[in-house]
Amino acid sequence: MALLLASSLTDQIVRSISDDTFTGIHTLSWFDWAILVPYFTVLLILSIYGLHRFEVVRMFFKYRKNVPNHAPKEFEKLPRVTVQLPLYNERYVVAQLLDAISRLDYPRELLQIQVLDDSTDETHQLAESLVAQYNAQGFPIEYVHRTNRYGFKAGALQAGLATVTGEFIAIFDADFVPQPDFLKRTIHYFTDPKVGVVQTRWTYQNRSQNLLTEVQAVMLDGHFIMEQAARCGGRLFFNFNGTAGVLRRAMIDDAGGWQHDTLVEDADLSYRAQLKGWRFVYVPSIECLSELPVEMRGFQMQQSRWAKGLMQAGIKLLPSIMRSNARWRVKLEAFLHLTPNISYPLIIVMSALLVPAMVVRFYAGWFQMMVVDGPLIIANFWSLWLFYILAYREVFPNNWKRSIFLMPVLSAAGVALTAINAKTVIEALIGDKGSWTPTPKYSLQGKAAMRGPAQYRYRAGWLPFVEIALGIVYIMFGAYAVDTYNFFALPFLAIFAAGFFWAAFSVLGSEARALLRFQRERRLALVSAR
């Protein structure tokens, strides 16, 4: 089908080419312009975000020395701290979380622990029982259970503020495992009264569990190693990441509290607070273990929530940011930070235009294609790989060459997000609020849990079949590229096809295995009942 379409398009283009074709020059027809203008417009927009990655790399090396490694001074008397633990159906990790919090090295008389549980499953009973046990041991811990989930995580955090006693609030999601010295290492940065947030660096207890978790770790390292350090060191706005950080209660109130009109309540609060003049501090030397999604569906759900939420935050906040008295550099960085996910629907548009553009460009000649396309490829692909290779080298300086092997896999993982993220970004643009869907977490003992109850799993739905269709389309694009000797495009087309197939068959495979287990267990239950 793709070859027939390409053949038809070729005939159209050949008819539009002047007699100068065989000298290497031809006149572009209206048909050529109708293909090339939107195609290159999309490529240029994508290239802007690609060039921004080069700029982040530059800022990282220029400003990394400005990122603090220790607080400039310490409190003479430690302040009161509240630890908030928002939960929603987290039964596999709640015990691990409470054990880590119970080990925090901070005076109990200055500590308040809030378990903010919105769970609708047996996590409710388990968490309440564990809190009672820790209470009996003398820990200052309280259990708050909501039944309406109003405002999702932001609503739970805002409701918890009603009984907060701490001047500062540390927040940990259910899969995070802070070290015992976490509070004592972070709290002293607040001796500066202008500091509103101290954000620490995420690390990953299951980084090496499979290829997907390893690639996710590299992606997040790009954010935490490069972006956060570059923005903090360059005195630009950056975001609290929703967990593994400490916030000043007065800052939350001054910025308008936790609001739930976006799915990224952390980024929303961060920008509102920084517009108010609060200073944020990023401390990469303080690490906090977390868990990465171990299956493709969980990865897609997490990333699509972040993509949609960040676009919502951009729509909500950018007008205020642009009207503010912030430096133009701060405004530009905020725009590029809040809007990069627009690239996902643009990639879908580019996919639709790819074959026609390949046909038109074929007659332009190799020299013109290299001169025009070369810089765009460098901006889009080289910047991506350089960005993540450098981030990997910062974490593993003695084994950084492995990152070169991971780059095609990382690119394919990015493609695996294209369809679902394009959908959620478009929803954000048209005003669909959506709901806050948690990422499945299983803890280090997760192999048994991953085979667990159906309510912890997602149905595949229609998305994998769309991804299979897109993968087939890219294979046909590749066949046409071979037919027209456009071998330069083959590696990129192969990555796109592999990414779509990886996403689709991973999700469908997981669902098929879950269904087979369910049917087998039901048969065993029926046999036992007899």
Side-chain angles (χ1 to χ4, degrees):
M1 181 176 177
L3 291 176
L4 289 174
L5 173 63
S7 176
S8 174
L9 290 170
T10 303
D11 292 342
Q12 170 68 36
I13 294 165
V14 168
R15 286 194 296 268
S16 71
I17 296 174
S18 71
D19 293 336
D20 293 328
T21 298
F22 299 102
T23 66
I25 302 172
H26 72 271
T27 304
L28 292 176
S29 70
W30 65 267
F31 181 85
D32 299 334
W33 285 111
I35 296 297
L36 293 181
V37 169
Y39 176 74
F40 278 107
T41 299
V42 169
L43 273 181
L44 285 170
I45 294 172
L46 294 175
S47 296
I48 291 171
Y49 291 98
L51 291 172
H52 177 242
R53 282 189 289 268
F54 281 127
E55 173 61 10
V56 171
V57 169
R58 185 194 71 82
M59 289 194 300
F60 170 75
F61 285 108
K62 181 177 181 179
Y63 298 122
R64 62 188 304 180
K65 293 182 180 179
N66 297 342
V67 178
N69 287 316
H70 59 274
K73 61 180 181 178
E74 296 187 357
F75 285 108
E76 294 181 4
K77 181 181 178 182
L78 288 174
R80 287 191 62 84
V81 174
T82 295
V83 178
Q84 289 188 323
L85 310 174
L87 304 178
Y88 177 65
N89 295 353
E90 316 278 9
R91 61 177 178 170
Y92 296 122
V93 292
V94 62
Q96 170 188 267
L97 171 67
L98 292 179
D99 178 67
I101 299 304
S102 71
R103 298 175 186 274
L104 288 174
D105 180 19
Y106 206 78
R108 288 191 185 180
E109 66 274 12
L110 298 176
L111 196 61
Q112 177 195 27
I113 303 169
Q114 290 184 329
V115 178
L116 307 174
D117 187 11
D118 284 0
S119 296
T120 56
D121 68 354
E122 56 267 40
T123 304
H124 166 38
Q125 291 80 15
L126 175 60
E128 190 171 25
S129 174
L130 289 170
V131 168
Q133 293 175 30
Y134 282 108
N135 240 324
Q137 298 172 31
F139 286 94
I141 187 169
E142 58 191 61
Y143 181 78
V144 180
H145 182 243
R146 300 192 313 159
T147 57
N148 57 16
R149 273 200 91 201
Y150 175 74
F152 308 115
K153 180 181 175 181
L157 294 172
Q158 187 66 27
L161 288 179
T163 55
V164 159
T165 61
E167 183 183 352
F168 302 97
I169 301 172
I171 299 176
F172 299 100
D173 282 352
D175 57 313
F176 279 71
V177 185
Q179 293 298 310
D181 62 352
F182 183 92
L183 291 179
K184 284 191 173 178
R185 293 183 67 189
T186 54
I187 197 65
H188 296 292
Y189 287 92
F190 291 100
T191 52
D192 181 347
K194 294 181 180 179
V195 170
V197 167
V198 174
Q199 175 66 56
T200 66
R201 181 164 68 91
W202 297 3
T203 52
Y204 319 101
Q205 57 187 342
N206 64 334
R207 182 182 192 118
S208 301
Q209 185 166 345
N210 56 43
L211 191 58
L212 178 62
T213 58
E214 187 173 11
V215 167
Q216 288 177 74
V218 177
M219 289 179 168
L220 287 169
D221 284 341
H223 173 68
F224 282 97
I225 298 293
M226 307 295 289
E227 289 183 331
Q228 293 290 69
R231 291 176 182 137
C232 177
R235 297 291 187 265
L236 303 172
F237 288 176
F238 70 95
N239 62 297
F240 167 57
N241 293 104
T243 179
V246 185
L247 302 86
R248 190 186 295 269
R249 167 64 191 273
M251 180 218 71
I252 298 175
D253 293 337
D254 183 50
W258 295 104
Q259 298 176 7
H260 54 83
D261 50 351
T262 76
L263 296 178
V264 286
E265 70 291 327
D266 43 16
D268 177 23
L269 177 66
S270 297
Y271 276 89
R272 286 187 280 116
Q274 288 169 107
L275 285 172
K276 289 273 191 175
W278 291 96
R279 181 185 165 213
F280 281 31
V281 175
Y282 174 58
V283 190
S285 59
I286 304 177
E287 302 174 2
C288 190
L289 278 173
S290 63
E291 179 183 331
L292 296 162
V294 296
E295 295 180 302
M296 178 62 73
R297 184 59 171 170
F299 172 53
Q300 289 182 319
M301 295 299 291
Q302 180 192 68
Q303 294 293 321
S304 65
R305 185 179 74 240
W306 291 350
K308 184 173 187 176
L310 208 60
M311 184 58 66
Q312 291 172 333
I315 294 169
K316 173 184 177 179
L317 298 168
L318 281 173
S320 299
I321 293 170
M322 295 306 164
R323 290 193 302 265
S324 73
N325 295 324
R327 293 176 291 131
W328 72 268
R329 187 68 182 83
V330 171
K331 295 178 180 180
L332 178 60
E333 184 64 29
F335 177 86
L336 293 170
H337 177 208
L338 292 171
T339 61
N341 294 303
I342 196 65
S343 61
Y344 291 106
L346 291 179
I347 288 172
I348 299 295
V349 173
M350 188 179 71
S351 299
L353 294 171
L354 188 58
V355 163
M358 285 170 59
V359 175
V360 173
R361 303 305 310 294
F362 176 75
Y363 290 96
W366 280 103
F367 177 76
Q368 185 186 128
M369 291 180 70
M370 289 299 297
V371 169
V372 176
D373 293 18
L376 298 176
I377 291 170
I378 290 172
N380 283 290
F381 287 94
W382 289 17
S383 68
L384 182 77
W385 287 20
L386 176 67
F387 180 81
Y388 288 113
I389 287 173
L390 290 174
Y392 193 96
R393 192 182 69 171
E394 291 296 314
V395 181
F396 302 107
N398 297 323
N399 190 32
W400 68 270
K401 292 180 181 179
R402 176 169 174 75
S403 63
I404 299 174
F405 158 75
L406 291 172
M407 286 305 102
V409 185
L410 182 145
S411 299
V415 171
L417 299 172
T418 299
I420 189 169
N421 282 8
K423 170 182 174 290
T424 56
V425 166
I426 292 171
E427 289 173 348
L429 291 172
I430 64 176
D432 182 344
K433 297 297 183 183
S435 60
W436 201 95
T437 305
T439 306
K441 308 176 186 79
Y442 303 109
S443 83
L444 284 174
Q445 293 76 37
K447 289 186 178 180
M450 287 166 61
R451 298 191 292 268
Q455 64 263 33
Y456 265 67
R457 314 191 65 81
Y458 298 97
R459 295 184 181 275
W462 54 266
L463 181 66
F465 301 100
V466 172
E467 291 166 336
I468 290 172
L470 288 169
I472 292 171
V473 166
Y474 272 95
I475 286 178
M476 293 190 294
F477 287 173
Y480 178 73
V482 171
D483 190 55
T484 56
Y485 305 101
N486 193 2
F487 301 113
F488 187 71
L490 285 178
F492 307 106
L493 298 173
I495 286 174
F496 272 82
F500 285 123
F501 285 142
W502 184 15
F505 290 116
S506 293
V507 172
L508 291 174
S510 295
E511 295 305 316
R513 289 190 295 271
L515 177 61
L516 290 173
R517 282 197 302 272
F518 173 75
Q519 293 174 339
R520 182 172 59 251
E521 290 167 4
R522 186 170 61 175
R523 286 195 299 269
L524 291 173
L526 290 173
V527 171
S528 300
R530 293 173 185 170

